[in-house]
Amino acid sequence: MVFQKGESGGRGRGGKKSVSRSAKAGLQFPVGRVARYLKKGKYAERVGAGAPVYLAAVLEYLCAEVLELAGNAARDNKKTRIIPRYVQLAIRNDEELSKLLGSVTIANGGVLPNIHSVLLPKESAKKEVEA
């Protein structure tokens, strides 16, 4: 019996290419790695097959959302590179992300530009200077 390249002798997968769980789910984030972290983290005694897929999809969505908003912030400042400052601006200007990451400190993020209305000069003072 002579086997051609890619064939097997009736056992195993028969020379089929393996497809990752990320590819099956249509995700960029690694489903296998998320599954490993869930198991090693001892969050539960057992981990279902769908749990790492769902978690990887949620993480990928959140990452895409933050990156899109940070990219928009960078473009507003006429830059092509996303720096922590733009991530900070993106998160703090978005209501839902700001609520989700309210207690998070981003290194080199700075603060939102904000001047309290009490500190601004009064309108009547401006009129007196002009007169």
Side-chain angles (χ1 to χ4, degrees):
M1 221 173 167
V2 178
F3 295 111
Q4 297 295 324
K5 191 175 182 181
E7 289 183 34
S8 67
R11 292 188 185 186
R13 289 192 306 237
K16 288 182 183 173
K17 278 280 196 183
S18 61
V19 181
S20 69
R21 287 188 280 176
S22 297
K24 285 180 185 174
L27 297 173
Q28 299 300 313
F29 268 51
V31 173
R33 188 178 300 176
V34 171
R36 187 176 76 235
Y37 289 156
L38 282 173
K39 289 174 188 170
K40 287 212 173 152
K42 299 289 183 188
Y43 300 107
E45 206 172 302
R46 302 163 73 184
V47 176
V53 178
Y54 199 99
L55 181 57
V58 169
L59 290 172
E60 183 174 317
Y61 169 74
L62 282 173
C63 188
E65 190 73 21
V66 169
L67 282 173
E68 182 183 350
L69 292 171
N72 292 344
R75 193 173 62 237
D76 292 345
N77 288 306
K78 299 183 178 76
K79 300 284 190 285
T80 55
R81 184 173 295 165
I82 295 174
I83 59 174
R85 172 70 178 159
Y86 303 140
V87 175
Q88 172 83 320
L89 290 173
I91 289 171
R92 301 303 168 213
N93 284 323
D94 186 84
E95 189 180 333
E96 291 174 338
L97 283 175
S98 184
K99 189 175 179 184
L100 178 68
L101 302 171
S103 61
V104 174
T105 302
I106 297 174
N108 291 335
V111 295
L112 283 182
N114 183 29
I115 300 173
H116 200 280
S117 57
V118 175
L119 299 173
L120 292 170
K122 294 182 177 70
E123 294 295 324
S124 59
K126 284 184 181 176
K127 290 177 182 174
E128 289 174 12
V129 171
E130 290 174 7

